[in-house]
Amino acid sequence: MLAFALRLRPSTGLYGVLRYASSGSIDVQAPLNFWGGVRRKIQPQLDNEPVYEPSTGRVLCQLEAAGAAEVEQAVLDSQSAFTLWSQMTGMERSRLMRAAAAIIERRREEIAEMEVVNNGKSITEARWDVDSARLCIEYYAGLACTLAGQHVQLAGGSFAYTRREPLGVCVGIGAWNYPFQIAAWKSAPALACGNSMVFKPSPLTPVTAVLLAEVYAQAGAPPGLFNVVQGGQETGGLLVHHPLVAKVSFTGSVPTGKKIMEMASKGVKPVTLELGGKSPLLVFADSDLENAVKGALMANFLSQGQVCSNGTRVFVQKQILSEFLEEVVRRTRAIPIGDPLLDATRMGALVSRPHLDRVLGCVERAKKEGAAVLTGGQRHRPSDPRLQGGYYMTPCVLGGCTDDMACVREEIFGPVMSVLSFDTEEEVLRRANDSVLGLAAGVFTRDVQRAHRVVAQLQAGSCFINNYNVTPVELPFGGYKMSGFGRENGQVTAEYYSQLKTVYVEMGDVDSLF
């Protein structure tokens, strides 16, 4: 059961899930597993894990992990929904998805606030995430009506055609940095193509995916169309191995992605993997310095630096290095840190105490390896006594970095910017591509020819020119190399949630050799 007190605004209601106690806090009594169109309470487990509120460090709830029996029920329920959903027309599916998007728009503030409480990011960013989720569903609602095959005219009046058909029950496994958004990014293309989905959120952030399940149900989805099961590795393994599961889409770390790929290979199931990144951001001397600095901040400090596509290796041409660092440090020191539910806050809490300790440890290691901490990199304790136990740190800028340092080679996944200098375009391209990861990359320059020339040579799936971390749902998102394969968003993603059938039609007699 989910039972805890939240620090939400007095107007928040969460569709009857939340109610006010006499103390003025909000009591929540609601299971987090969801199938058959309703929340499901499962048998108590001895190994339930606590879920924390990052901004305060308080326990939100005990996570009830789904076992083999619950996974079986959720998948069978999803298979039943698929049988009905896959027979609907694209227009019928589109109509329901548009209704779901409209519900999200009406519930924007309450969903965003719940995302803040469970994840720790600022309310401003959480609103962006909810908007992105809504827009994604709207986008694929439009695409659902356009999915079609191809007609091929052949000799003698014969012809052939192709049919784009759904896969079946798809599994989505989400990450903790964008809980609600990732649930939408995975479910929207799956549903548009006629599939159903069983989604497993991260056990660190289990609360908002079930809100999306309720949204789909309220919009009129067949029971089981989008189910949510909670748990960790064991639950994920049960889902990936299930014989009725046709496809797996995972967002998370490289090691876990490799395990999922191996498990899926046992059933020859297609997978989409959106994994880690250690992305380069190249700032040339002719850049608009103001925009380059703002771009570097957006490339490093969104969601407390917990973004897989972040451009954490910032290469700055030597002619402007001093000026760039001065301005980046000044702006970084001015970032308001604190209560993520306040509109003025720009940096909230990291997702957990162990993760905070790990990120702070990465800063200490960088110092030992010779990097200079130009600002930040320390534990932060807000003045509000309610937030004293929260997982806060000051955003960090590291200068004097070299390519062999751990802070440059390894993904930190926290608010830590590593700044390096370079001389020539050829040099920086070689260094930027010297990574086993290739999720994203960016370049700032006023020279349009250089911009396109450099981007063409960067080994990354998502590239930016004179901006960073801009991800419209119309554009495919995904990586090269060990950052994964497959794409999320954009038209091409329909290919990853469907299969192609070719049909040959003979209009004459059979020409037989026998």
Side-chain angles (χ1 to χ4, degrees):
M1 293 290 286
L2 180 63
F4 54 88
L6 297 181
R7 305 173 304 104
L8 299 184
R9 294 182 176 88
S11 61
T12 305
L14 285 190
Y15 273 1
V17 173
L18 306 186
R19 66 178 188 276
Y20 289 97
S22 57
S23 64
S25 64
I26 304 174
D27 294 331
V28 180
Q29 297 285 338
L32 292 176
N33 290 279
F34 186 103
W35 61 83
V38 296
R39 293 179 183 246
R40 299 280 180 169
K41 176 173 172 54
I42 64 178
Q43 293 299 318
Q45 304 291 324
L46 295 177
D47 57 350
N48 286 349
E49 292 290 333
V51 178
Y52 296 92
E53 181 184 16
S55 64
T56 65
R58 297 183 302 175
V59 173
L60 290 179
C61 62
Q62 296 293 323
L63 182 71
E64 292 180 344
E70 291 78 27
V71 167
E72 180 72 11
Q73 292 177 43
V75 173
L76 289 175
D77 186 57
S78 190
Q79 177 67 28
S80 296
F82 166 71
T83 302
L84 176 62
W85 182 252
S86 61
Q87 297 304 310
M88 292 183 179
T89 66
M91 185 65 75
E92 289 172 322
R93 294 197 293 266
S94 174
R95 188 176 301 118
L96 185 144
M97 293 177 69
R98 292 198 309 271
I103 294 170
I104 291 173
E105 186 169 25
R106 292 198 298 270
R107 297 181 60 182
R108 177 184 189 244
E109 194 67 14
E110 57 191 83
I111 295 172
E113 289 183 352
M114 185 62 86
E115 191 85 324
V116 169
V117 168
N118 196 195
N119 170 270
K121 67 176 61 184
S122 74
I123 186 64
T124 300
E125 287 192 45
R127 291 176 184 133
W128 292 353
D129 296 351
V130 176
D131 290 343
S132 176
R134 171 182 57 81
L135 291 169
C136 182
I137 294 171
E138 287 181 352
Y139 176 80
Y140 284 106
L143 198 69
C145 306
T146 69
L147 297 175
Q150 181 184 20
H151 176 274
V152 181
Q153 190 64 49
L154 302 171
S158 296
F159 63 95
Y161 62 91
T162 59
R163 290 169 49 91
R164 188 160 292 283
E165 298 181 346
L167 298 169
V169 178
C170 298
V171 161
I173 301 178
W176 47 256
N177 55 341
Y178 288 90
F180 190 80
Q181 177 182 290
I182 289 175
W185 278 22
K186 293 189 184 301
S187 63
L191 271 53
C193 291
N195 305 287
S196 59
M197 176 167 278
V198 180
F199 186 80
K200 189 194 81 65
S202 165
L204 293 178
T205 53
V207 176
T208 52
V210 72
L211 299 182
L212 181 60
E214 290 180 330
V215 165
Y216 281 131
Q218 187 186 3
L225 185 65
F226 180 77
N227 291 336
V228 176
V229 295
Q230 305 288 350
Q233 292 184 9
E234 182 180 351
T235 305
L238 291 168
L239 287 168
V240 175
H241 282 301
H242 198 287
L244 288 180
V245 168
K247 185 245 172 36
V248 180
S249 177
F250 169 75
T251 298
S253 71
V254 173
T256 304
K258 288 180 178 179
K259 292 178 183 177
I260 286 174
M261 189 175 176
E262 181 181 1
M263 287 188 289
S265 71
K266 301 291 193 292
V268 197
K269 300 174 183 179
V271 296
T272 293
L273 299 177
E274 197 272 275
L275 307 179
K278 192 65 184 176
S279 302
L281 176 61
L282 283 52
V283 181
F284 285 91
D286 69 337
S287 301
D288 180 313
L289 188 65
E290 171 78 7
N291 280 325
V293 168
K294 290 191 295 185
L297 296 175
M298 292 294 285
N300 281 270
F301 299 141
L302 281 176
S303 292
Q304 297 74 248
Q306 302 167 141
V307 182
C308 51
S309 59
N310 270 359
T312 54
R313 292 186 291 148
V314 181
F315 294 91
V316 182
Q317 206 157 20
K318 284 184 178 177
Q319 298 94 305
I320 61 168
L321 177 62
S322 178
E323 187 179 3
F324 178 88
L325 283 174
E326 181 181 354
E327 187 62 14
V328 160
V329 168
R330 184 186 70 81
R331 287 176 177 254
T332 300
R333 288 173 176 164
I335 294 175
I337 311 168
D339 189 343
L341 283 169
L342 298 179
D343 288 335
T345 298
R346 287 297 175 265
M347 183 166 290
L350 276 69
V351 74
S352 71
R353 173 65 58 79
H355 186 62
L356 170 63
D357 292 341
R358 178 188 170 276
V359 174
L360 292 173
C362 290
V363 175
E364 290 303 310
R365 181 178 178 183
K367 289 162 62 176
K368 292 178 181 177
E369 293 183 349
V373 177
L374 304 181
T375 188
Q378 298 176 326
R379 179 81 185 268
H380 176 76
R381 297 189 184 277
S383 58
D384 188 335
R386 297 175 304 164
L387 309 179
Q388 290 291 304
Y391 316 136
Y392 301 91
M393 69 173 285
T394 52
C396 179
V397 178
L398 297 175
C401 298
T402 57
D403 294 346
D404 59 340
M405 292 179 178
C407 62
V408 176
R409 306 299 301 176
E410 301 171 8
E411 186 175 33
I412 297 174
F413 221 62
V416 181
M417 179 194 302
S418 298
V419 182
L420 308 96
S421 64
F422 73 92
D423 288 307
T424 68
E425 179 181 317
E426 180 182 12
E427 168 210 342
V428 76
L429 276 168
R430 174 180 53 79
R431 295 167 63 194
N433 288 330
D434 183 20
S435 173
V436 298
L437 301 172
L439 185 53
V443 55
F444 275 83
T445 178
R446 284 190 173 98
D447 186 334
V448 66
Q449 291 181 324
R450 171 192 282 150
H452 292 288
R453 183 172 65 241
V454 167
V455 160
Q457 297 177 75
L458 287 169
Q459 297 169 6
S462 299
C463 294
F464 306 90
I465 295 175
N466 292 331
N467 210 329
Y468 205 91
N469 270 340
V470 182
T471 54
V473 297
E474 299 93 332
L475 303 183
F477 179 80
Y480 284 8
K481 300 191 278 190
M482 290 181 70
S483 289
F485 50 80
R487 291 295 181 268
E488 312 228 63
N489 294 338
Q491 294 184 32
V492 70
T493 300
E495 298 179 14
Y496 297 102
Y497 283 99
S498 61
Q499 52 196 344
L500 202 62
K501 177 181 287 181
T502 300
V503 181
Y504 175 91
V505 182
E506 179 61 64
M507 297 301 289
D509 295 327
V510 175
D511 185 8
S512 175
L513 291 175
F514 308 103

